[in-house]
Amino acid sequence: MKVTVERAELLKSLSHVYRVVERRNTIPILSNVLIRADKGKLSMKATDLDLEVTDSIAAEVAPGGATTVPAHMFYDIVRKLPDGSQIVIEGSGDRAVLSIRAGRSRFTLQTLPESDFPDLAAGEMSHSFSLPAGDLKRLIDKTQFAISTEETRYYLNGIYLHAAGKMLRAVATDGHRLAQVELPLPEGAVGMPGIIIPRKTVAEVQRLIESGEGEVAVELSAGKIRFSIGNVVLISKLIDGTFPDYGRVIPANNDKSLVVDKKDFEAAVDRVSTVSSERGRAVKLSITGGRLVLSVTNPDSGSATEELEVDYESDALDIGFNSRYLLDIAAQIEGEVAVLKLADPGSPTLIQDKDAKGALYVLMPMRV
């Protein structure tokens, strides 16, 4: 195998692929990236047996071939080579090494045979649709923060994507907060099974659509999902579990409406939470008339209060929240005004963007 390729192209392609590879692997082949050169094309594939990413770029190939090399080392070598250089990758079938040349730099890497590399066969996909990368990015960006990291409740370790009437809805919750975002159901998604996309897959897709440009082709079945973004193809297993009936925790009758300027509210919560303890992080909201007082008391370090003018016409209310969770939700509000719909100090609060439709957040209160 002999391949000549431009460094920037190779680096960009490798950056899409190598992140899937765990740094510590008990199975040696999973530390490697599969390189296949054929018909003017160089393709690379990496997997952790749950997630597989493939990317391909144009290259001078003569002759073709395939092998596997350590993914992180290969990426680091390409990253450190001079910008603008031409890289020559050469391997011979009889020796288990791959040579990499660029200018005066020479590297040889140990290889493992291509035949040992696992294939995460996608199988039959029951539904396929496409949607703008910007729409998928919004679904992920606005729900990802609420994904649970608690491994015991594994069915919460991802985003629940499903058809809800005429909408495609993404939901994530960790039991303390919930995020729900929806957009019109794409053609082809009608009748799709409700699926839970794992946290690691969500993060990889988010990186691949960072620019928010172009279209993303999505194919899915009850067990797997495939995203095609340009030349990059990502296949992932789905979480095999039942997502809870999240509709039961979304309050429908919260009659107290607190309307705040999003930026002022976010900044005030951030300021007063400076003195909160790492463990508690509680911030108290005292609302009377058109006045909101935010306060934090930490027996170990001190206290803080700040007052804001707000729009509120219901009975006076004191309620506490985890300040970090409150800031996470405030960061998702796109418009200038946020609406908090409250009931009482012990019930969940509904938080929405006054202008942007299709997104809502639920936050459980804390005792303060």
Side-chain angles (χ1 to χ4, degrees), residues 167-204:
M167 307 301 279
L168 180 66
R169 184 179 290 170
V171 181
T173 182
D174 60 5
H176 304 291
R177 61 235 170 119
L178 176 144
Q180 174 188 302
V181 182
E182 58 187 20
L183 49 85
L185 195 67
E187 212 175 311
V190 179
M192 67 174 267
I195 58 170
I196 308 170
I197 307 170
R199 184 172 60 236
K200 184 175 176 180
T201 304
V202 167
E204 287 306 319

Coordinates of all heavy atoms in Angstrom, one line a residue, residues 167-204:
M167 N -44.6 16.0 15.6 CA -43.3 16.6 16.0 C -42.2 15.5 16.2 O -42.6 14.3 16.6 CB -43.4 17.4 17.2 CG -44.5 18.5 17.2 SD -44.3 19.7 15.8 CE -43.1 20.8 16.6
L168 N -41.0 15.8 15.9 CA -39.8 15.0 16.3 C -39.3 15.6 17.6 O -38.9 16.7 17.7 CB -38.7 15.0 15.3 CG -37.5 14.2 15.6 CD1 -37.8 12.7 15.6 CD2 -36.4 14.5 14.5
R169 N -39.4 14.8 18.7 CA -39.1 15.3 20.0 C -37.9 14.7 20.7 O -37.7 13.5 20.6 CB -40.3 15.1 20.9 CG -40.2 15.8 22.3 CD -41.4 15.5 23.1 NE -42.6 16.3 22.6 CZ -43.8 16.1 23.1 NH1 -44.1 15.2 24.0 NH2 -44.8 16.9 22.6
A170 N -37.0 15.5 21.3 CA -35.8 15.0 22.0 C -36.0 15.4 23.5 O -36.4 16.5 23.8 CB -34.6 15.7 21.5
V171 N -35.8 14.4 24.3 CA -36.0 14.6 25.8 C -34.8 14.1 26.5 O -34.3 13.0 26.2 CB -37.3 13.9 26.3 CG1 -37.5 14.2 27.8 CG2 -38.5 14.4 25.6
A172 N -34.3 14.8 27.5 CA -33.3 14.3 28.4 C -33.6 14.7 29.8 O -34.1 15.8 30.1 CB -31.9 14.8 28.0
T173 N -33.3 13.8 30.8 CA -33.6 14.1 32.2 C -32.6 13.3 33.1 O -32.2 12.2 32.7 CB -35.0 13.8 32.6 OG1 -35.2 14.2 34.0 CG2 -35.4 12.3 32.5
D174 N -32.3 13.9 34.2 CA -31.4 13.2 35.2 C -32.2 13.1 36.5 O -31.6 12.7 37.6 CB -30.1 13.9 35.4 CG -30.2 15.4 35.9 OD1 -31.4 15.8 36.2 OD2 -29.2 16.1 36.1
G175 N -33.5 13.4 36.5 CA -34.3 13.3 37.7 C -34.4 14.6 38.5 O -35.3 14.8 39.2
H176 N -33.4 15.5 38.3 CA -33.5 16.8 38.9 C -34.0 17.9 37.9 O -34.6 18.8 38.3 CB -32.1 17.2 39.4 CG -31.4 16.2 40.3 ND1 -31.9 16.0 41.6 CD2 -30.4 15.4 40.1 CE1 -31.1 15.1 42.1 NE2 -30.2 14.7 41.3
R177 N -33.7 17.7 36.7 CA -34.1 18.6 35.6 C -34.4 17.9 34.4 O -34.0 16.7 34.2 CB -33.1 19.7 35.4 CG -31.7 19.1 34.8 CD -30.6 19.5 35.7 NE -29.4 18.8 35.3 CZ -28.3 19.4 34.9 NH1 -28.2 20.7 34.7 NH2 -27.2 18.7 34.7
L178 N -35.3 18.5 33.5 CA -35.7 17.9 32.3 C -35.7 18.9 31.2 O -36.0 20.1 31.4 CB -37.1 17.3 32.4 CG -37.7 16.6 31.2 CD1 -38.6 15.4 31.6 CD2 -38.6 17.6 30.5
A179 N -35.2 18.5 30.0 CA -35.2 19.3 28.8 C -36.0 18.7 27.7 O -35.7 17.5 27.5 CB -33.8 19.6 28.4
Q180 N -36.8 19.4 27.1 CA -37.6 18.9 25.9 C -37.6 19.9 24.8 O -37.9 21.0 25.0 CB -39.1 18.6 26.4 CG -40.0 18.1 25.2 CD -41.4 18.1 25.7 OE1 -41.8 17.4 26.6 NE2 -42.3 18.8 25.0
V181 N -37.2 19.4 23.6 CA -37.2 20.2 22.4 C -37.8 19.5 21.3 O -37.6 18.3 21.1 CB -35.7 20.6 22.1 CG1 -35.7 21.6 20.9 CG2 -35.0 21.3 23.2
E182 N -38.6 20.2 20.5 CA -39.2 19.5 19.3 C -39.2 20.3 18.1 O -39.0 21.6 18.1 CB -40.6 19.1 19.7 CG -41.5 20.2 20.1 CD -42.9 19.7 20.6 OE1 -43.0 18.5 21.0 OE2 -43.8 20.5 20.6
L183 N -39.3 19.6 16.9 CA -39.4 20.3 15.6 C -40.3 19.5 14.8 O -40.6 18.3 15.1 CB -38.0 20.5 15.0 CG -37.0 19.3 15.0 CD1 -37.3 18.5 13.7 CD2 -35.6 19.8 14.9
P184 N -40.8 20.1 13.6 CA -41.7 19.3 12.8 C -41.1 18.0 12.4 O -39.9 17.9 12.0 CB -41.9 20.2 11.6 CG -41.7 21.6 12.1 CD -40.6 21.4 13.1
L185 N -41.9 16.9 12.4 CA -41.5 15.6 12.1 C -41.1 15.5 10.6 O -41.9 15.8 9.7 CB -42.7 14.6 12.3 CG -42.3 13.1 12.4 CD1 -41.5 12.8 13.6 CD2 -43.6 12.3 12.5
P186 N -39.8 15.1 10.4 CA -39.3 15.0 9.0 C -40.1 13.8 8.2 O -40.5 12.9 8.9 CB -37.8 14.7 9.1 CG -37.5 14.9 10.5 CD -38.7 14.7 11.3
E187 N -40.2 13.9 6.9 CA -40.7 12.9 6.1 C -39.9 11.6 6.3 O -38.7 11.7 6.2 CB -40.7 13.3 4.7 CG -41.9 12.8 3.9 CD -41.9 13.3 2.4 OE1 -41.7 14.5 2.3 OE2 -41.9 12.5 1.5
G188 N -40.5 10.5 6.6 CA -39.8 9.3 6.7 C -39.7 8.9 8.2 O -39.3 7.7 8.5
A189 N -39.9 9.8 9.1 CA -39.8 9.5 10.5 C -41.1 9.1 11.1 O -41.2 8.7 12.3 CB -39.3 10.8 11.3
V190 N -42.2 9.2 10.4 CA -43.5 8.8 10.9 C -43.5 7.3 11.3 O -43.0 6.4 10.6 CB -44.6 8.9 9.8 CG1 -46.0 8.5 10.3 CG2 -44.7 10.4 9.3
G191 N -44.0 7.0 12.5 CA -44.0 5.7 13.0 C -42.7 5.1 13.5 O -42.6 3.9 13.8
M192 N -41.7 6.0 13.6 CA -40.4 5.5 14.1 C -40.4 5.0 15.5 O -41.2 5.6 16.3 CB -39.3 6.6 14.0 CG -39.5 7.8 14.9 SD -38.2 9.0 14.8 CE -37.1 8.5 16.2
P193 N -39.6 4.1 15.9 CA -39.6 3.6 17.3 C -39.0 4.7 18.2 O -38.1 5.5 17.7 CB -38.7 2.4 17.3 CG -37.9 2.5 16.1 CD -38.7 3.3 15.1
G194 N -39.4 4.8 19.5 CA -38.7 5.7 20.4 C -37.4 5.1 20.7 O -37.3 4.0 21.1
I195 N -36.3 5.9 20.6 CA -35.0 5.4 20.8 C -34.2 6.3 21.8 O -34.5 7.4 21.9 CB -34.2 5.3 19.4 CG1 -34.1 6.7 18.8 CG2 -34.8 4.3 18.5 CD1 -33.1 6.8 17.6
I196 N -33.2 5.6 22.5 CA -32.4 6.4 23.4 C -30.9 6.4 22.8 O -30.3 5.3 22.8 CB -32.4 5.8 24.8 CG1 -33.8 5.6 25.3 CG2 -31.6 6.6 25.8 CD1 -34.0 4.8 26.6
I197 N -30.5 7.6 22.4 CA -29.1 7.7 21.8 C -28.1 7.9 23.0 O -28.2 8.9 23.7 CB -29.1 8.9 20.8 CG1 -30.2 8.7 19.8 CG2 -27.7 8.9 20.1 CD1 -30.4 9.9 18.9
P198 N -27.1 7.0 23.1 CA -26.1 7.1 24.2 C -25.4 8.5 24.2 O -25.2 9.1 23.2 CB -25.2 6.0 23.9 CG -25.9 5.1 23.0 CD -26.8 5.9 22.2
R199 N -25.0 8.8 25.5 CA -24.3 10.1 25.7 C -23.1 10.3 24.8 O -22.8 11.3 24.3 CB -23.9 10.2 27.2 CG -23.3 11.5 27.6 CD -23.1 11.6 29.1 NE -22.3 10.5 29.6 CZ -22.7 9.6 30.6 NH1 -23.8 9.7 31.1 NH2 -21.8 8.7 31.0
K200 N -22.2 9.2 24.7 CA -21.0 9.3 23.9 C -21.3 9.6 22.4 O -20.7 10.4 21.8 CB -20.2 8.1 24.0 CG -18.8 8.1 23.3 CD -17.9 6.9 23.6 CE -16.7 7.0 22.8 NZ -15.8 5.8 23.0
T201 N -22.4 8.9 21.9 CA -22.8 9.1 20.5 C -23.3 10.5 20.3 O -22.9 11.2 19.3 CB -23.9 8.1 20.2 OG1 -23.4 6.8 20.4 CG2 -24.3 8.2 18.7
V202 N -24.0 11.0 21.3 CA -24.6 12.4 21.2 C -23.4 13.4 21.1 O -23.4 14.3 20.3 CB -25.4 12.7 22.4 CG1 -25.7 14.2 22.6 CG2 -26.8 11.9 22.4
A203 N -22.4 13.2 21.9 CA -21.2 14.1 21.9 C -20.5 14.0 20.6 O -20.0 15.1 20.1 CB -20.3 13.7 23.1
E204 N -20.3 12.8 20.0 CA -19.6 12.7 18.7 C -20.4 13.4 17.6 O -19.9 14.1 16.7 CB -19.4 11.2 18.4 CG -18.3 10.6 19.2 CD -17.0 11.4 19.2 OE1 -16.6 11.8 18.1 OE2 -16.3 11.5 20.3

